[in-house]
Each structure stands twice: as structure tokens, then as C-alpha cells.
Amino acid sequence: LDAVLGGGGWDVGSSLEGPLLSPGSVHLGKNACYVVLAVLFDKEERVLLVQEAKPECRGKWYLPAGRMEPNEGIVAAMQREVKEESGLECDPITLLALEERGPAWIRFVFLACPTGGTLKTLEAADAESLQATWWAGDPCALLLRALDILPLLDLAIRYRRSAPHPPTLPQELPCALICLRLLVTFANDAGDLWVLLATAEPPHLPVVACGTSPAELRRGLRLPVLRLLRDCLRPDPHPGPLGLLGLQHRARGPGGSDGICFNVLLSIPPGSPRDTPPELRGPAFSWWHVEEESLRGCILQRLCAAATVPV
């Protein structure tokens, strides 16, 4: 729990909770697609935008973004895309958001800071981009490739003013599958808190995997979470939104895989006034009553303040 709440990772191990309908390693370009995107500001609060060179959107403006390559780390991919498209070097500050449509498309949105390089001009235009600029005005004054960057810019501006969550960056730990480590919580009005544990020795936070069959590729990361909760809780739960506490990935993972483990926080809201968490369907899981004051306070703070990376 300390590692997960601190944005770190933990060995996934070989045992997973819930059914895995299509087991097998994850490989970019075959059964998964990861995309990186970066928001950078200069000292004058101008945002970095790049002008696209791709035929389908040539001349339009966007944030630096692109697909991860096989055997590439997430941060390294972001730094490469920023360098190729803008000419600038950068360091990550935090993940701002995780956008996903299941394993078929996962985008990692970073807030980053420039550290060097030279801004690309039209004279240096290539297949990656035509040019880059620091833009001070309303981005909508430009011909944008897509409007989906506008809420991401809002997130970045709000984070710079008052960070809602601690800096969160990928940890270099291996994972063969796309899976989620679940910090499932139940809190009552009195401030008591319970955490769902898998009881297989040693007791641990449940881990569920995403399937990578054609039928499952475009289903969201929430699907295996709901499947697990419906199997172990009664009545049928309606959990709150997922919040990202951290993630782990290592380039060239087990068997050359590109798997990722996401540590996510979610709560089970009371269906009716109750003092204790919902009944469990069997002995595979148990509710652990968190009595240690600082740990309970830390989890409740992350829940109440939505102090996680939005998914």
C-alpha cells in the first residue's frame, strides 16, 4: 500500500484475480497501441504547439504526440516525440491524464518542461512536423488538428496553479500483460475505511488483466474491473470513477512484451445507508478494516480530493 499510494509499483506476480479470456503477452503494433502526448509551457506561459506534416492533417496545429515504438519506455517515447516534432528537449513533470479505449488505444498525457534544444522552423521541416511555436493566444485561433487537446490544456493549466495530485510518473518494473492493480475502498459516514484484499497467500491488492482478443481490444480498462467486482460483491456494485495512482512498465519486458500495470483507486459507494461494506460472495476476497490512522487518512484524502490522475 505504501508503494502504491506513493506512485510506485510492485511485482505483479503470476497469479491474477478474475478470468483472463485471452491470455498472452502484449506487443505494440500487434495487440496494443500506446500513444504519448506532451504539454509544455515556457517562462512566459506560452504553450508549445507543432504544425503537422502528415498528409491527412498537413498544416494543422496540435500538441507534440505520437505512437510509442516497440521496446521503448513511456517517458523515452514522449521525449523522442517532443524532440522530433519541436526540436526541443524536455523532462517529464507528471502524468496529467490517462486516456484509453482498452488495449487498442492508450494515450499517456504528460506535463513536461523544456530543458534545451532549438525550436523547429519551416527551414527544418520534415516528415515529423513543419514547424513548432510557443503560442500565447487562444489555441482555437489556429486551425487545430483536433479539439481534444483543449481539455488537456485546461488540465495542465490547473495543475500548474494548484496540483491536485502528487507528481506521477511511470516506474520501470516489468509486466507481461495490460493489467490493473485495484485499491478498492469502502468508507462510511463515520470515517471508517475498508480495503478489498485477495486472500490467496500472501493477502494482496487484487490484480485483473485486460484481454487482447479482437472482441476485447476496444473495450475499456474498466471492463475487467467491473467483471471482478460483480463476481465477488453483492449486490451488483456501481463503483465510482477510476483514478490512477501510478503505473509500471519496462521496455523489453518478459518475453519482449510491452505490458503495463496500472495502479488504480476506486470506491464502492453505499447503495443505502450502511456502516459496513457490502457482503462478499465467497472466501477468495475479504474486507480489511484500515485502523492505522495515517494510512486511513492518506487513502481518504486521495478519495475525497480526487487526488489521482484522471482516467
Side-chain angles (χ1 to χ4, degrees):
L1 274 168
D2 286 339
V4 169
L5 289 167
W10 199 259
D11 180 26
V12 175
S14 57
S15 63
L16 301 172
E17 283 67 49
L20 180 58
L21 303 183
S22 53
S25 296
V26 173
H27 297 277
L28 288 178
K30 295 182 179 179
N31 53 12
C33 174
Y34 303 156
V35 178
V36 291
L37 179 147
V39 185
L40 286 83
F41 295 92
D42 67 2
K43 294 179 180 178
E44 284 75 44
E45 300 295 317
R46 299 176 297 179
V47 67
L48 179 66
L49 295 174
V50 297
Q51 193 172 32
E52 297 283 3
K54 302 179 188 69
E56 63 271 19
C57 54
R58 187 176 180 86
K60 296 181 179 180
W61 294 86
Y62 205 64
L63 293 168
R67 294 189 179 190
M68 270 180 63
E69 297 175 355
N71 301 324
E72 185 175 40
I74 300 172
V75 169
M78 182 274 294
Q79 292 172 318
R80 174 184 55 78
E81 287 291 345
V82 171
K83 179 69 173 178
E84 290 176 351
E85 296 190 353
S86 73
L88 300 182
E89 298 165 355
C90 70
D91 284 334
I93 297 172
T94 186
L95 276 165
L96 279 176
L98 176 69
E99 302 176 305
E100 57 91 15
R101 301 175 203 144
W105 189 85
I106 298 175
R107 185 161 74 174
F108 304 91
V109 180
F110 285 90
L111 177 63
C113 61
T115 58
T118 303
L119 199 65
K120 182 184 281 191
T121 62
L122 282 172
E123 289 73 22
D126 55 22
E128 299 296 336
S129 67
L130 300 179
Q131 62 178 324
T133 188
W134 291 110
W135 184 254
D138 182 353
C140 291
L142 297 171
L143 182 60
L144 297 178
R145 169 181 151 189
L147 299 179
D148 64 341
I149 64 172
L150 298 180
L152 302 179
L153 289 172
D154 288 341
L155 268 180
I157 291 169
R158 291 202 301 270
Y159 190 94
R160 284 161 58 85
R161 288 175 181 165
S162 178
H165 57 80
T168 305
L169 293 172
Q171 304 296 306
E172 285 203 20
L173 287 169
C175 186
L177 307 171
I178 296 177
C179 57
L180 298 94
R181 179 182 286 111
L182 309 179
L183 179 47
V184 180
T185 64
F186 178 91
N188 62 21
D189 292 340
D192 294 315
L193 177 72
W194 289 263
V195 167
L196 186 69
L197 294 182
T199 55
E201 290 295 335
H204 56 276
L205 296 179
V207 179
V208 294
C210 296
T212 53
S213 68
E216 294 173 292
L217 274 177
R218 294 195 176 277
R219 296 184 179 183
L221 298 180
R222 194 174 173 86
L223 178 65
V225 178
L226 292 174
R227 186 182 294 143
L228 173 77
L229 295 179
R230 287 167 181 165
D231 285 345
C232 74
L233 297 182
R234 59 174 100 211
D236 192 13
H238 297 281
L242 300 181
L244 184 69
L245 293 165
L247 67 154
Q248 59 193 67
H249 167 269
R250 178 178 290 168
R252 296 177 296 278
S257 61
D258 301 301
I260 298 177
C261 181
F262 299 100
N263 297 330
V264 295
L265 174 67
L266 68 157
S267 61
I268 304 296
S272 59
R274 66 168 87 203
D275 294 325
T276 57
E279 180 184 352
L280 295 167
R281 293 184 185 274
F285 297 91
S286 66
W287 286 108
W288 174 54
H289 188 210
V290 182
E291 297 180 351
E292 203 275 310
E293 188 69 24
S294 63
L295 178 60
R296 184 174 62 85
C298 178
I299 296 174
L300 289 174
Q301 188 275 332
R302 301 295 289 267
L303 281 169
C304 297
T308 56
V309 177
V311 180

